[in-house]
């Protein structure tokens, strides 16, 4: 009601910088500003100033300044007074500050407060923004004094802030506002229209009127040639905006992501956004390796002395056989410089440095050093990926760990989330579902209460958590030991497998035997997260977000342990001593293993989607007669993505085409998971908002995944001796010597490039450079987190200051009423004494 004077301390805070119709300078000082302006004008007549002062005095003495009038925009005055009289007692009891009826002095002060002037009518709002547009115009051009205008053309302030404006006065105010909007710049006009507390149709009407008036003015003033130029510029601008809108509509998976967000919330959406991020990483990696490694070698294939085996179809699963002698694997790439011959007949042949080609012939044609290109492509692509990851992680930290209390976000979502440009029915329905889901998440976070348990209950929960973690750690240890002994057995019998694969007896069975270890690992990755979910069900977490983070930690423990054992198997057993198992090109074998693991991970993910989601939904609906569907497991699916991406980063050195396989896998996985989620899954029973989930995913992708893969690749290039019969680094002690040999050749050919040799020895050969680079990245992340933490503390102090200001207002109003009552009490006593006498 009108007399409700309570101040809400938890009022949602809007963004700083947004203009509001309750700005004090524009609302309360309009009269005093105009009077001060005219008094500063030396030539202003005393009659004008006296007239303005009289108008302001009359307005201050009117009875419309009370709270009941100011809080009822656009309503009849008499009806409002009657309703106020009827509900006065109820309002007095409802407000804690009101003990009895307010005095007239208190009501005048309350009516002048910014919080009591929100409910003005449309005419007053237009008058206020007319003043603002005049202020913006005065900043850009000198305004003539008021005496230069006739009395009919002078801006009238009679009626500014008056509740009941006539229709003619409102139209005149709107016309004057349109005139001022026309004279503003485009940016100021848009900003002013956005800040007006009017509905969208009225804002559009004001904008169209201002544009029409501006066009008419320009058509009168601008000559014909200038008008043509003006129309051309406007047409080009509209075409550019249309092109930008078209590019925005081409965003990958825009509509499916909105559909998932509207139905399942931000948790499931974070999985698909993370999948999209991984897709972009692999596209970048494939473009770099394809342009500098795969394509040059494919255009200049080496001569093969061994015939290529026939294609049987099993190679799609094993990656061996027909694919072994292709650009897919490390062993196919040559170790010489690709050059064009000196024949004039247009024939192109690949020659090496040692085939007797004349130096003058070689210097006249382009050359491509394949070992150097292979080495620097892997190094530069890894370095750029690291920079992108660190930048993405720091940006995600800044977005998710800022202060965003649910109260403020709830207010922003309520008043600012709808896009009025959306007119399509399907888009409107999708947007309404999205906003509804966001409201559920925010309200769940606001209404969440921390349950206080007794000491016995806390002890019991601690025992349950300890038991659950013990089960998870024990099962993970047992599975890792099983993988370790299985890989050891496979390594011992690898020579038998390689020899029997060459024989004619059961070649398909021998090829299929190589899938034993990938199948075991994929089966463990499929079944063990189910045990983790059972342990989480036993723990009975109250917060769904806490349960998700705990599941992420347990699945991460499993994936890191499995990858650690596999890296030891590939680099500590196979690569360390390949001659004992009669392996001619161990890099190609490791690449085939990584391909098999990546493919088996994809196949078992599809099986999990089929049996864990689709068949379980059918069983629940048909047999159990329940409508309950399975909930999408975010933690397990995200860790599967991180596991597959780690395999791709590990295998790019041994299988340069592996990023293309990962791209195809992610594309298929997106559509399969999207269809399964929409058909077979349901939204979480307890909605929750996961504002920091994307940051956690990027962090896990950077530190355990990319950092571990980079360490393994760097160790392989710096420490392990490459194969002597295949690959671009044959006859070298380490892969790293390819760059060192190239620098030595440059220094020998041109002594002036000795600086380059020294720079290479200090920056590339010295491992200290890697530690310095990693330290710089960590320092950048640390400083960024400190800046965000400082901003969080400042915002907290500002919020506390706003709450204290609310308390100050309550205190001042209470003191004002007390003082007024103390002054009124002696007057009442004196009046009662006089009446008795």
């Amino acid at each position: 009601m009108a007399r409700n004077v309570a101040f809400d301390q938890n009022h949602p805070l809007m963004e700083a910088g947004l203009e509001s119709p309750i700005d004090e300078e524009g609302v309360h000082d309009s009269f005093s500003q105009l009077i001060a302006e005219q008094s500063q004008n030396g030539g202003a007549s005393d009659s004008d100033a006296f007239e303005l002062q009289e108008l302001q005095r009359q307005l201050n003495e009117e009875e419309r300044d009370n709270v009941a009038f100011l809080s009822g925009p656009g309503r009849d005055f008499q009806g409002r007074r009657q309703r106020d009289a009827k509900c006065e007692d109820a309002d007095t009891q409802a407000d804690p500050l009101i003990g009895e009826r307010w005095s007239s002095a208190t009501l005048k002060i309350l009516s002048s407060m910014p919080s009591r002037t929100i409910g003005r009518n449309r005419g007053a709002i237009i008058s206020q923004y007319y003043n603002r547009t005049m202020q913006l115009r005065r900043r850009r051009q000198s305004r003539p004094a008021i005496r230069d205008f006739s009395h009919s053309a002078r801006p009238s302030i009679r009626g500014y802030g008056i509740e009941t404006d006539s229709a003619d006065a409102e139209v005149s105010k709107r016309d004057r506002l349109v005139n001022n909007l026309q004279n503003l710049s485009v940016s100021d006009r848009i900003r002013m229209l956005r800040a007006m507390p009017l509905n969208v149709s009225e804002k559009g009407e004001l904008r169209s009127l201002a544009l029409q008036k501006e066009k008419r003015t320009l058509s009168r003033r601008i000559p014909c040639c200038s008008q043509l130029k003006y129309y051309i510029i406007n047409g080009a601008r509209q075409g550019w905006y249309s092109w930008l809108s078209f590019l925005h509509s081409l965003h990958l998976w825009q509509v499916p992501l909105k559909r998932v967000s509207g139905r399942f919330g931000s948790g499931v959406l974070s999985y698909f956004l993370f999948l999209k991020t991984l897709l972009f990483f692999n596209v970048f990696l494939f473009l770099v390796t394809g342009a500098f490694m795969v394509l040059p070698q494919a255009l200049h294939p080496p001569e093969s002395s061994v015939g290529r085996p026939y294609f049987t179809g099993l190679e799609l699963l094993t990656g061996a056989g027909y694919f072994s002698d292709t650009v897919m694997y490390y062993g196919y790439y040559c170790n010489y410089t690709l050059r064009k011959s000196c024949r004039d007949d247009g024939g192109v042949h690949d020659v090496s440095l040692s085939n007797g080609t004349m130096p003058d012939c070689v210097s006249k044609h382009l050359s491509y050093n394949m070992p150097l290109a292979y080495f620097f492509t892997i190094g530069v692509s890894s370095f750029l990926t690291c920079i992108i990851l660190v930048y993405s992680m720091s940006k995600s930290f800044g977005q998710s760990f800022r202060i965003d209390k649910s109260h403020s976000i709830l207010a922003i979502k309520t008043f600012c989330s709808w896009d009025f440009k959306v007119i399509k029915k399907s888009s409107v329905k999708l947007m309404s579902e999205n906003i509804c889901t966001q409201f559920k998440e925010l309200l769940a976070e606001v209404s969440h209460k921390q349950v206080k348990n007794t000491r016995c209950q806390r002890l019991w929960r601690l025992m349950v958590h300890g038991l659950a973690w013990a089960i998870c750690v024990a099962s993970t240890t047992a599975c890792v030991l099983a993988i370790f002994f299985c890989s050891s057995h496979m390594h011992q019998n690898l020579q038998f497998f390689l020899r029997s694969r060459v024989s004619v007896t059961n070649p398909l069975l021998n090829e299929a035997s190589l899938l034993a270890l990938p199948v075991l690992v994929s089966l463990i990755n499929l079944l063990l997260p189910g045990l983790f979910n059972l342990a989480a069900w036993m723990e009975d977490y109250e917060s769904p977000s806490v349960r998700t983070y705990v599941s992420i930690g347990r699945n991460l423990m499993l994936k890191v342990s499995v990858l650690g054992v596999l890296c030891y198997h590939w680099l500590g057993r196979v690569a360390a001593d390949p001659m004992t198992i009669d392996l001619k090109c161990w890099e190609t074998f490791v690449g085939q293993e990584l391909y098999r693991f990546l493919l088996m991970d994809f196949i078992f993910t599809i099986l999990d989607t089929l049996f864990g989601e689709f068949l379980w939904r059918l069983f629940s609906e048909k047999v159990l007669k329940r409508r309950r569907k399975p909930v999408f497991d975010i933690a397990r699916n995200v860790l599967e993505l991180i596991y597959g991406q780690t395999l791709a980063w590990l295998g790019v050195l041994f299988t340069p085409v592996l990023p293309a396989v990962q791209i195809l896998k992610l594309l298929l996985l997106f559509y399969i998971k999207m269809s399964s989620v929409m058909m077979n899954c349901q939204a979480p029973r307890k909605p929750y908002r996961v504002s920091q989930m994307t940051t956690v995913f990027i962090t896990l992708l950077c530190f355990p995944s990319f950092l571990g893969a980079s360490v393994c690749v760097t160790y392989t290039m710096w420490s392990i001796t490459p194969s002597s019969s295949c690959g671009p680094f044959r006859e070298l002690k380490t892969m790293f010597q390819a760059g060192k040999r190239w620098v030595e050749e440059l220094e020998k050919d041109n002594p002036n490039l000795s600086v380059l040799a020294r720079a290479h020895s200090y920056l590339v050969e010295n491992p200290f450079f890697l530690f310095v680079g990693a330290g710089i990245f960590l320092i950048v992340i640390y400083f960024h987190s400190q800046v965000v933490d400082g901003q969080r503390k400042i915002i907290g102090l500002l919020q506390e200051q706003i709450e204290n200001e609310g308390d100050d207002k309550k205190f001042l109003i209470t003191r004002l009423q007390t003082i007024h009552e103390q002054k009124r009490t002696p007057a009442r006593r004196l009046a009662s004494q006089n009446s008795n006498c």
Side-chain angles (χ1 to χ4, degrees), residues 34 38 43-49 51-52 130 134 143-158 160 176:
L34 192 53
Q38 302 306 320
S45 61
D46 296 335
S47 60
D48 294 333
E51 178 186 357
L52 295 174
Y130 169 74
M134 292 299 296
R143 179 187 175 189
I146 194 171
R147 63 177 180 177
D148 297 334
F149 295 94
S150 62
H151 285 277
S152 61
R154 292 179 185 179
S156 174
I157 62 172
R158 187 185 299 275
Y160 284 13
R176 286 183 291 171

Side-chain angles (χ1 to χ4, degrees), residues 391-412:
Y391 173 76
S392 302
M393 187 170 57
S394 62
K395 185 178 179 180
S396 183
F397 267 104
Q399 290 178 351
S400 63
F401 287 95
R402 59 189 177 186
I403 289 292
D404 48 356
K405 289 188 177 180
S406 300
H407 296 78
S408 59
I409 299 180
L410 190 59
I412 294 173

Side-chain angles (χ1 to χ4, degrees), residues 107-162:
L107 290 177
K108 284 185 178 181
I109 294 177
L110 290 176
S111 64
S112 63
M113 296 177 66
S115 59
R116 311 302 298 178
T117 58
I118 298 176
R120 296 180 301 160
N121 62 355
R122 192 165 58 93
I125 292 173
I126 293 177
S127 301
Q128 172 194 342
Y129 280 92
Y130 169 74
N131 291 336
R132 290 195 176 188
T133 53
M134 292 299 296
Q135 291 175 5
L136 288 176
R137 290 180 60 188
R138 284 197 298 268
R139 293 176 189 174
R140 291 166 173 80
Q141 58 185 6
S142 61
R143 179 187 175 189
I146 194 171
R147 63 177 180 177
D148 297 334
F149 295 94
S150 62
H151 285 277
S152 61
R154 292 179 185 179
S156 174
I157 62 172
R158 187 185 299 275
Y160 284 13
I162 296 180

Side-chain angles (χ1 to χ4, degrees), residues 207-458:
R207 181 176 177 272
S208 61
L209 289 175
L211 288 176
Q212 291 175 4
K213 202 163 222 181
E214 184 180 8
K215 288 180 180 179
R216 287 197 297 267
T217 305
L218 290 175
S219 62
R220 295 174 185 172
R221 298 179 182 177
I222 301 177
C224 182
C225 297
S226 300
Q227 287 185 16
L228 180 61
K229 179 182 177 181
Y230 175 75
Y231 290 139
I232 293 175
I233 293 175
N234 276 344
R237 183 183 300 169
Q238 293 296 330
W240 174 250
Y241 290 156
S242 301
W243 173 250
L244 290 179
S245 178
F246 174 72
L247 291 179
H248 181 72
S249 64
L250 293 179
H251 285 178
L252 185 63
W253 301 326
Q254 188 176 10
V255 176
L257 291 177
K258 287 184 178 179
R259 190 177 296 114
V260 169
S261 175
R263 185 173 299 181
F264 298 95
S266 58
V268 181
L269 177 66
S270 63
Y271 166 79
F272 290 98
L273 291 177
F274 185 66
L275 191 150
K276 184 178 177 180
T277 303
L278 293 184
L279 180 65
F280 289 147
F281 275 111
N282 286 278
V283 167
F284 164 75
L285 192 59
F286 172 69
L287 290 177
V288 173
T289 56
F292 296 100
M293 292 168 51
V294 179
L295 187 61
Q297 189 63 64
L299 294 177
H300 304 279
E303 296 181 359
S304 179
S305 58
V306 182
R308 185 175 298 179
Y310 293 103
F311 181 76
T312 60
L314 190 62
E315 291 87 349
L316 295 175
L317 294 177
T318 62
Y322 181 82
F323 292 146
S324 298
D325 196 18
T326 59
V327 291
M328 190 172 179
Y329 295 112
Y330 167 90
Y332 182 79
Y333 292 84
C334 60
N335 67 327
Y336 49 80
T337 302
L338 302 178
R339 303 181 188 274
K340 291 184 179 180
S341 64
C342 298
R343 297 180 182 179
D344 296 330
D345 55 356
V348 178
H349 298 276
D350 301 325
V351 295
S352 63
L353 292 175
S354 59
N355 61 355
T357 307
M358 298 177 60
D360 56 349
C361 172
V362 170
S363 62
K364 293 179 182 179
H365 294 80
L366 297 176
S367 60
Y368 195 81
N369 193 336
M370 181 53 67
L372 189 67
Y374 202 103
F375 175 78
F376 278 105
T377 299
I378 298 297
V380 172
S381 62
S382 300
F383 182 72
L384 293 178
T385 303
C386 181
I387 292 177
I388 296 173
L389 269 174
V390 171
Y391 173 76
S392 302
M393 187 170 57
S394 62
K395 185 178 179 180
S396 183
F397 267 104
Q399 290 178 351
S400 63
F401 287 95
R402 59 189 177 186
I403 289 292
D404 48 356
K405 289 188 177 180
S406 300
H407 296 78
S408 59
I409 299 180
L410 190 59
I412 294 173
K413 291 293 181 184
T414 304
F415 297 105
C416 308
S417 57
W418 188 261
D419 188 2
F420 290 92
K421 296 180 181 179
V422 178
I423 57 176
K424 197 175 179 180
K425 289 185 178 181
S426 59
S427 301
V428 169
K429 183 179 179 181
L430 187 61
M431 181 179 292
S432 61
E433 288 182 355
N434 199 343
I435 295 175
C436 181
T437 305
Q438 292 176 5
F439 276 141
K440 289 180 182 178
E441 294 175 354
L442 293 171
L443 290 173
E445 186 172 351
V446 170
S447 60
H448 177 70
K449 296 180 180 179
Q450 191 70 26
V451 180
K452 294 183 179 179
N453 298 321
T454 61
R455 184 174 299 178
C456 295
Q457 290 176 343
R458 281 181 286 179

